[in-house]
Amino acid sequence: MLAPHLRKNVDKLWDRFWSAGLTNPLVAVEQITYLLFLKRLEDLDRDRVAAGKPSVYERRLPDDAARFDGNTCRWSYIRQQSTDTKHLIEVVFPWLRTLDRRLSDHEEGTELAGLNGRMADAYFQLDPNKGQVLHDAIDLIDKLFAQAGDGSAAQDLMGDTFEYLLSEVATAGKNGQFRTPRHLIRFMVELLDPRPGERLIDPAAGTGGFLFSAQQYLRRQVSTPENVRLEWDGAPHRLDLVQASEQERALIEDGSCFVGIDNDRTMARIGWMNLVLHHIHNPRLMQGDSLSKREGKPELAPLLASESYRYVLANPPFTGTVDTADLERDSLLFPRAGTKGKKKDEVLTNKSELLFVWLMLDLLQVGGRCAVIVPEGVLFGNTDAHIKLRRELLTEHCVEAVISLPGGVFQPYTGVKTSILVFRKETPRAAKTGFEKNAPRTDQVWFYEVAADGYSLDAKRTPRPGQDNDLWDALKQFRRWLQEGRAATEGEPTYHQPRYWRERWRQASLRDASGQLAPAGFAFADDPEAVPAFDGKTWAIHELFPELLREGEETLDPQEAEARVREHVAPSLAELARRHFAHADTKTATTEWNRATRELQCCFEDEGPALALWKQLTAAAREQVPGAPQGEPVPDLVDALRPLAREVAKVDGYDLWLRSPAIDQTRPATARKCWAVPLRAWAPDPDWRSADGRLQGSHDATGRVRPEYVAEKLPTLYDGDTLNAALLDADCIEARDWNLSAGQYKPFDFAAMDSEVSVTALIDELRQLERGILDGLDRLQAMVEGRA
C-alpha cells in the first residue's frame, strides 16, 4: 500500500511519459521499469561486491570502447546527469544490453543469476530532445525512495511502486492477456496453501503476480504473527521472516521454486523485474509459448517437464484459438481428434483455455493441485473437447471446487463471466487409460457462488473496504469442506468474515534526501532517541505515539485520534491566542498569528489530515480575541506554537482499512452460497430385488444406494461411451454431460424468495391452477370424443 503522496509521484511519472509521447501503457511501464531497475541494480551490485564478486560496473568486455567507463552507468551518476538523454541512450542502455556478460561465473543465489540475456533488446524510447522529462522522472524516482533508505524497506517500497504502476494498465494485451486483480490472486494462493520448497508454476505468467503472491504467502507463514498486518483485501505488510529457519528462508527466496512462462517478451521482462523487486532470488520467469513445440528450446523444455510441480496457479489468456500446427505433438499432453487415420495426428481442439488446462494437468505431480481461472464456457461447453476435458478431470482426477465469480471482476479489461477451478491430480501420466467409467476419482464437487469480491462490479472497480466480501467466506467454507466433506454444506447456512477496522499509517522517516527534517519526522524531533527504532518504516500512529491510546485499547480509529488531539491541543492554543492578542492591536496580532501558523505548516504532510486539523484549530483559536489583557505577552510566537504543532503532527498519515488474520466473525447467512453435488448418484428403483430376494429397493432406509444394486447395474451404465441416463439421478454431474456450471446445481432457497406471499400460499395457488388446467383438459377431451 503506497501512501497517497507516493501514489501522486507515481501518477506524475505516468503523466510525464504520457506527455512525452509514450502513450502505449505497457511501453510506458517498461520504460519506467528500466529506470527502477537501474536504481535497484546499484544496490544489488553493492551486495554482490560484499559477497566477493566483481562489480558489474568495473568489468570490461573486449568490445568496450577504450575510454568506456562502466561507472557512468551507476544510478548515482545518471542522477547527476539527469537531463542527458544522449548518455542514457548511447552509453547506459548499450551497457545494459550486455549486462549478463559482465556477471561473474558464479551468480547462484543472487537476483541477477536468471538474467539470461533478457536485457539484450532493452532500449530507451524517450525522445532524445526530452531531457527535462528524463530529469523529472529521475527526480520523482529519487523522491519515491528518499525516505526508505537502502534496506528491505526500500525493496518493499520498490515492489509496491511497481505493483501500483501495473495497476494503472487498464487495457488488455493483443493476445487477450490482462492483469489479474491481486486480491483474487491472493485468494487463489490461500486456496492451495503452498509450502516452502514445493515448486510452483504459472504457464501464462504475465507480470508474475501469482509467483510473488505465493512467495508473500510463504513469508507471511514464518513472520512474527504480532507484527503482520493485513489490508482489508488481504495484502500483507511487515513480513519479517523472523520465525523462519535458514533452510526455510533459503527455500522461500529460491527462484527455482517459482517458475513462470509468458509468450510476450516485454511482459516476461517486466514480470522478471517485478520478481526481482519482490525478494525472489534468481526468478525463473522465461519468455516462451507454453503450448508450442519444445524441440530446440533448451531453456524452456526443462521448465515444462511433465509431473514436475506441486502447484499450478494461472489465469491463462482467453484468446479463442491457437495455431495447432505449432502445438507440442505429445499425445499424452493434448488429446487427439481420433484414433485412426489423419485424426490420430490432429489435436482435438485449438481452444487455448482448454489446452492450458490439459497442460496444467501434465505439469502437476500426482497429488499436486491447481487453481485456475477459466471462462464459464469451459464448464458447460458441449463440444467433444469441452466434454472430454471435464470428464477427464472428474473421472481420472479429483475436482475439489468450482468457485463462480461475478461478471465484473475483470473490468475494465473484459466482462467475460469466469470461475476458479480447483483440482488435484490423481492419475499418473504413464497410467492414463482414458475414460474411468467404473471408478471415477471425484466423489462430490463443492460449488461456491461469489456475489461480492470487495470492489464494485462496474468499469471503475471502486474499492469497498469494510463491507462483506464473499471471498473470505468462500475461503473459510472451502477449508471446512476439505476437512468435513458433505457435512460442511448441511444444516443452516452461515456466513464468515474477518474483523475490519481503520488505522492511520505513516512512514516514520526523520530526514528527507537532503538531510533536512522531513514533515514525517517533525513529530519525533523532541525525542531523537526513539527515531532509530522507527526510521524508514511504516507504522500506525498509535504504535509511534502510544500516548494516544487509552487503557485497554490496542488500535485507534483515525477520527478518534484526531478528536483526542483536538481535545488536548485546543485549550492550549486558545490560551496562547488570548495572551498573544491581549498585548497587541487586533490587526497586528492577526498578521503575526497567521504568519506564525503558516510558517509551521511546512512541518505537516502536504494536503494531509494533520495540516487540515492544524488550520482548523489555529483558525478557531484566532477567533477567541479577549477584551482585556490576560497573562504575560508571548516573546516568540513560532517557538510557543511549535510544541502544539508537534502534537497535531502525530495524526499525520493516511487511513487504511485492515482485517484480522482469522476469519472468525460468524452469523446466519441470508442465503446459501455453497453446496456440494455428487458426481454420480443412482436413481431410486423401488421395484428392484437382489438375486437372493432378501433386499428390495435400490436404496436402503437412510437413502444410501445398496452396494449390491451398484454391482449389478454398473456393467450396464455405459454402452461404449453412451450413458444409460435412466440409471442415474438427473441432478448429478455425470447425468448432465459433466456440466460444472455452479448455477446448474444451485439449490432452491425459499428464504431468498422476495415475496410478501408465504410459500404455503404459493403452493396452494399453484394447485388451484393445476386443477383448473386439468378440468380444462377433461372438457377438451370430452369435446374431441363427442361426449360434450
Side-chain angles (χ1 to χ4, degrees):
M1 171 68 180
L2 284 179
H5 70 283
L6 296 179
R7 289 203 300 272
K8 286 181 181 178
N9 281 343
V10 177
D11 292 338
K12 289 177 182 176
L13 267 175
W14 265 115
D15 293 342
R16 294 304 283 134
F17 276 91
W18 183 274
S19 63
L22 298 179
T23 56
N24 182 319
L26 273 181
V27 172
V29 165
E30 185 177 38
Q31 298 304 297
I32 296 171
T33 301
Y34 284 141
L35 295 180
L36 289 173
F37 180 72
L38 285 168
K39 177 173 176 58
R40 176 70 180 142
L41 183 60
E42 191 162 5
D43 295 334
L44 294 177
D45 190 65
R46 188 183 303 117
D47 294 341
R48 294 175 65 262
V49 172
K53 296 178 174 60
S55 170
V56 295
Y57 301 105
E58 302 287 348
R59 187 166 184 176
R60 295 184 58 83
L61 300 178
D63 49 352
D64 283 341
R67 299 179 63 182
F68 172 75
D69 182 3
N71 288 301
T72 66
C73 299
R74 293 180 181 271
W75 179 259
S76 52
Y77 183 90
I78 295 170
R79 186 174 56 206
Q80 294 172 10
Q81 308 294 322
S82 59
T83 60
D84 191 353
T85 54
K86 183 178 179 181
H87 174 70
L88 212 64
I89 294 170
E90 297 182 0
V91 177
V92 176
F93 271 76
W95 173 85
L96 188 61
R97 292 193 288 272
T98 65
L99 182 59
D100 55 329
R101 295 166 56 196
R102 299 178 190 275
L103 299 175
S104 72
D105 296 331
H106 303 286
E107 293 286 337
E108 298 83 3
T110 74
E111 284 91 338
L112 298 178
L115 197 60
N116 291 329
R118 63 181 77 242
M119 293 296 175
D121 57 352
Y123 288 88
F124 198 56
Q125 298 186 32
L126 187 66
D127 187 326
N129 298 314
K130 303 287 186 179
Q132 186 60 44
V133 174
L134 176 61
H135 168 79
D136 292 347
I138 290 173
D139 185 56
L140 285 167
I141 289 173
D142 269 346
K143 285 181 178 177
L144 274 170
F145 304 102
Q147 297 179 4
D150 297 323
S152 62
Q155 191 165 351
D156 288 337
L157 179 58
M158 194 168 280
D160 290 344
T161 301
F162 196 88
E163 277 297 293
Y164 181 69
L165 269 174
L166 295 175
S167 73
E168 297 295 286
V169 180
T171 56
K174 62 183 179 182
N175 295 319
Q177 76 271 35
F178 45 80
R179 182 178 182 272
T180 309
R182 276 6 187 194
H183 68 291
L184 283 182
I185 288 179
R186 286 188 289 268
F187 170 69
M188 292 170 65
V189 171
E190 292 209 45
L191 289 175
L192 295 192
D193 187 26
R195 292 289 180 264
E198 295 179 326
R199 298 185 77 210
L200 179 152
I201 188 172
D202 179 354
T207 59
F210 281 104
L211 304 180
F212 86 75
S213 293
Q215 195 234 31
Q216 277 190 325
Y217 179 77
L218 295 174
R219 295 178 70 212
R220 175 184 157 193
Q221 307 310 306
V222 292
S223 294
T224 309
E226 296 78 14
N227 287 347
V228 174
R229 297 291 184 273
L230 300 178
E231 282 188 62
W232 65 277
D233 64 353
H237 296 277
R238 301 192 194 167
L239 304 180
D240 53 30
L241 275 75
V242 166
Q243 298 185 350
S245 65
E246 286 300 317
Q247 182 182 13
E248 285 177 323
R249 186 186 295 266
L251 290 173
I252 289 171
E253 296 179 346
D254 180 8
S256 66
C257 292
F258 305 94
V259 177
I261 299 170
D262 196 90
N263 195 31
D264 187 285
R265 184 168 178 83
T266 298
M267 195 71 75
R269 178 162 48 224
I270 290 174
W272 178 81
M273 286 189 278
N274 194 13
L275 300 184
V276 167
L277 298 178
H278 278 93
H279 301 274
I280 296 182
H281 295 166
N282 187 16
R284 304 291 176 85
L285 203 159
M286 306 293 295
Q287 186 268 328
D289 186 349
S290 299
L291 302 177
S292 71
K293 297 174 183 176
R294 299 165 194 174
E295 185 178 355
K297 300 174 182 177
E299 292 182 350
L300 191 62
L303 299 180
L304 292 169
S306 298
E307 300 186 340
S308 54
Y309 295 92
R310 185 67 180 176
Y311 305 102
V312 177
L313 281 157
N315 177 20
F318 311 148
T319 57
T321 60
V322 297
D323 180 10
T324 56
D326 189 44
L327 287 175
E328 175 67 18
R329 310 309 295 174
D330 185 350
S331 61
L332 289 178
L333 174 56
F334 301 129
R336 296 298 180 246
T339 58
K340 299 178 181 177
K342 291 183 178 180
K343 288 193 173 183
K344 71 177 183 179
D345 295 322
E346 293 179 5
V347 177
L348 180 61
T349 182
N350 62 357
K351 295 288 185 183
S352 64
E353 57 267 32
L354 303 181
L355 294 168
F356 265 108
V357 177
W358 264 305
L359 171 68
M360 293 170 198
L361 270 173
D362 190 65
L363 292 171
L364 283 174
Q365 303 166 350
V366 174
R369 299 168 68 219
C370 172
V372 56
I373 297 173
V374 295
E376 288 280 285
V378 171
L379 304 179
F380 60 75
N382 57 7
T383 70
D384 287 345
H386 285 88
I387 293 172
K388 184 167 184 176
L389 174 62
R390 296 196 300 268
R391 189 177 69 185
E392 181 178 337
L393 284 169
L394 289 160
T395 62
E396 297 182 43
H397 310 285
C398 178
V399 175
E400 294 180 346
V402 175
I403 300 170
S404 174
L405 300 174
V409 294
F410 291 112
Q411 293 279 19
Y413 309 104
T414 177
V416 172
K417 183 76 170 64
T418 58
S419 289
I420 298 171
L421 181 64
V422 183
F423 58 86
R424 183 176 67 251
K425 183 168 180 174
E426 295 272 315
T427 303
R429 169 185 164 92
K432 289 182 69 170
T433 57
F435 180 20
E436 291 280 354
K437 301 173 185 176
N438 295 337
R441 299 299 185 106
T442 303
D443 180 26
Q444 299 182 75
V445 177
W446 183 82
F447 292 91
Y448 190 100
E449 190 173 60
V450 175
D453 72 331
Y455 293 79
S456 65
L457 297 175
D458 55 19
K460 293 183 178 179
R461 293 292 277 155
T462 306
R464 292 180 171 171
Q467 299 186 24
D468 284 347
N469 185 337
D470 291 348
L471 297 180
W472 305 132
D473 180 59
L475 185 60
K476 181 80 171 184
Q477 302 278 19
F478 178 66
R479 288 173 175 171
R480 278 192 63 204
W481 163 254
L482 292 180
Q483 294 174 356
E484 303 174 20
R486 182 86 188 195
T489 62
E490 296 174 344
E492 292 298 316
T494 54
Y495 190 72
H496 309 269
Q497 289 292 284
R499 288 183 300 108
Y500 299 107
W501 69 92
R502 288 192 309 166
E503 287 183 359
R504 182 162 294 168
W505 284 19
R506 66 187 296 172
Q507 191 176 41
S509 297
L510 180 63
R511 304 284 172 183
D512 62 19
S514 63
Q516 300 298 311
L517 188 67
F522 176 61
F524 298 98
D526 59 347
D527 188 13
E529 301 256 338
V531 172
F534 295 113
D535 198 18
K537 300 176 184 177
T538 303
W539 303 85
I541 58 173
H542 65 269
E543 295 173 309
L544 297 170
F545 310 108
E547 63 271 17
L548 294 174
L549 291 172
R550 290 177 179 165
E551 187 175 353
E553 290 182 336
E554 294 182 357
T555 187
L556 183 60
D557 181 82
Q559 273 61 52
E560 177 60 25
E562 287 188 23
R564 292 177 187 179
V565 167
R566 183 191 300 271
E567 180 183 340
H568 176 65
V569 171
S572 298
L573 269 176
E575 174 61 26
L576 193 60
R578 281 195 294 269
R579 290 172 54 200
H580 172 72
F581 281 94
H583 295 279
D585 65 271
T586 302
K587 184 177 180 180
T588 302
T590 300
T591 301
E592 291 179 353
W593 180 266
N594 292 340
R595 179 190 57 78
T597 56
R598 277 198 304 270
E599 183 176 330
L600 289 168
Q601 287 181 12
C602 67
C603 300
F604 305 101
E605 295 287 355
D606 291 342
E607 302 178 21
L611 178 59
L613 181 58
W614 176 249
K615 289 179 179 180
Q616 292 171 13
L617 288 170
T618 55
R622 184 185 59 207
E623 300 303 320
Q624 301 181 32
V625 180
Q630 296 183 23
E632 296 295 323
V634 182
D636 188 323
L637 188 56
V638 172
D639 283 348
L641 286 169
R642 185 172 281 109
L644 299 177
R646 196 167 289 143
E647 286 298 308
V648 175
K650 291 178 179 179
V651 297
D652 230 337
Y654 54 95
D655 294 352
L656 203 62
W657 278 91
L658 302 180
R659 55 150 285 202
S660 60
I663 305 170
D664 54 5
Q665 307 298 297
T666 305
R667 66 175 189 264
T670 56
R672 190 174 294 279
K673 301 188 73 65
C674 58
W675 51 90
V677 179
L679 173 67
R680 176 178 292 172
W682 296 89
D685 182 356
D687 298 326
W688 175 83
R689 284 182 176 275
S690 61
D692 58 12
R694 290 189 303 163
L695 301 174
Q696 179 167 355
S698 59
H699 292 63
D700 62 22
T702 66
R704 295 180 179 276
V705 65
R706 299 184 192 276
E708 296 84 356
Y709 177 80
V710 173
E712 180 181 315
K713 297 297 182 181
L714 189 58
T716 65
L717 182 60
Y718 281 91
D719 180 8
D721 282 353
T722 303
L723 173 68
N724 182 359
L727 290 174
L728 296 182
D729 186 324
D731 289 330
C732 74
I733 295 172
E734 190 172 8
R736 296 196 179 191
D737 277 340
W738 317 97
N739 192 311
L740 286 173
S741 178
Q744 281 278 316
Y745 307 101
K746 186 175 182 178
F748 184 75
D749 191 349
F750 288 107
M753 290 181 61
D754 186 16
S755 174
E756 297 179 356
V757 183
S758 70
V759 175
T760 303
L762 287 172
I763 293 173
D764 289 340
E765 185 177 341
L766 288 171
R767 282 177 172 161
Q768 290 176 13
L769 287 171
E770 181 188 29
R771 283 193 290 268
I773 293 170
L774 291 175
D775 289 343
L777 288 173
D778 287 342
R779 289 194 298 271
L780 180 62
Q781 186 173 7
M783 290 172 61
V784 171
E785 294 175 352
R787 294 184 286 107

